[in-house]
Amino acid sequence: MKLFSCPMALLLFLLQAVPGLGLPKDTLRCVGYHGFCVRSKSCPENFAAFGTCAWGHKTCCIDTTSDFHTCQDEGGHCVPPKIKCLEEQEGLCPHREWRCCAEV
């Protein structure tokens, strides 16, 4: 039993010590955009829904009063990396590698 408990304790320690190691991808994306996860489907006032967290069980909310505005709020379009923008603009897209374009 001791042989099993030592590796298990080490694994639990690593999951707690290394930030982001045990978090789902959608949660990491949300936190990467300075968002937070809520259990309800709607976000509090001054926050906008920006995808999901916890494997789709929670809603990712980002602050609309900060500099982190979504691309659509700014009148742009989110496009994948293979599409070239005629004019890029500021704004967050649901996929980190996507860009916000004023014109495609």
Side-chain angles (χ1 to χ4, degrees):
M1 193 64 167
K2 282 187 179 183
L3 274 153
F4 179 72
S5 63
C6 286
M8 206 53 172
L10 180 63
L11 178 66
L12 287 173
F13 171 75
L14 286 175
L15 286 174
Q16 292 174 354
V18 179
L21 188 62
L23 295 176
K25 285 185 179 181
D26 59 351
T27 303
L28 289 173
R29 181 183 57 82
C30 181
V31 172
Y33 283 119
H34 305 278
F36 67 96
C37 301
V38 296
R39 290 188 189 272
S40 67
K41 295 288 182 191
S42 61
C43 295
E45 191 175 327
N46 296 326
F47 287 85
F50 194 69
T52 62
C53 296
W55 295 289
H57 296 288
K58 295 181 180 180
T59 303
C60 174
C61 298
I62 58 170
D63 186 359
T64 58
T65 61
S66 71
D67 292 337
F68 300 104
H69 294 286
T70 63
C71 183
Q72 289 82 5
D73 289 344
E74 299 297 319
H77 307 281
C78 291
V79 297
K82 58 186 169 190
I83 296 177
K84 295 190 187 250
C85 292
L86 295 176
E87 184 182 335
E88 269 192 66
Q89 72 178 48
E90 291 291 320
L92 297 176
C93 292
H95 304 287
R96 185 176 280 268
E97 61 275 356
W98 288 32
R99 293 178 309 204
C100 183
C101 296
E103 293 184 35
V104 181

